[in-house]
Every structure is written in C-alpha cells, then in structure tokens.
Amino acid sequence: MSEAFDPRPITKAAKNERRKLLATTINTVGLTVFAVGFITPMLAGGLTRSSALTLGASFAILAMSHLIARRLLRGLED
C-alpha cells in the first residue's frame, strides 16, 4: 500500500537524518566491498597477483565511498 500524499514540508531535521542515513549506507557498502576483497584472498590461501589487484580495487572502492559519504555530510543544515 502506498502512503497518502503529505503536503507538509520536510523539516531540516528530517532532511539531515535522511542525508546521514544515505551517507551511512554508502560508507557501509564500501566497507563491505573492502571486507570481501580482503577476506576472500586470505581464505583462499594467500596473496597472489590477481588477489592483490582485487584487494587494491576493493580499497579504492572503500576510499571513494567514504569520500562520497563525507561530501554528503557537508550538506547538513543547522
């Protein structure tokens, strides 16, 4: 079921909470990708050339997602 249209404007606090939730989600996705990219080669038996590339790529995704989340948080309103 869909909710009825609510004509009331969204408050600053609600906007801030939505922004924080989105930033947390993006950061968590990056951490998850990194964890999988780090743990999988260790469970597979060591660091090979391809697993090192996977680890590097997962670290890059982690860094990018963290920076995106920080940029989103810059928009918080007082």
Side-chain angles (χ1 to χ4, degrees), residues 47-64:
L47 202 60
T48 64
R49 182 178 207 130
S50 64
S51 64
L53 290 173
T54 301
L55 181 60
S58 64
F59 182 77
I61 292 170
L62 169 65
M64 286 187 297

Side-chain angles (χ1 to χ4, degrees), residues 18-67:
R18 286 181 179 184
R19 191 172 289 267
K20 288 191 283 186
L21 180 62
L22 180 60
T24 301
T25 302
I26 290 170
N27 198 47
T28 303
V29 167
L31 284 169
T32 303
V33 168
F34 178 72
V36 170
F38 179 77
I39 293 172
T40 302
M42 297 307 149
L43 293 177
L47 202 60
T48 64
R49 182 178 207 130
S50 64
S51 64
L53 290 173
T54 301
L55 181 60
S58 64
F59 182 77
I61 292 170
L62 169 65
M64 286 187 297
S65 67
H66 183 71
L67 291 173

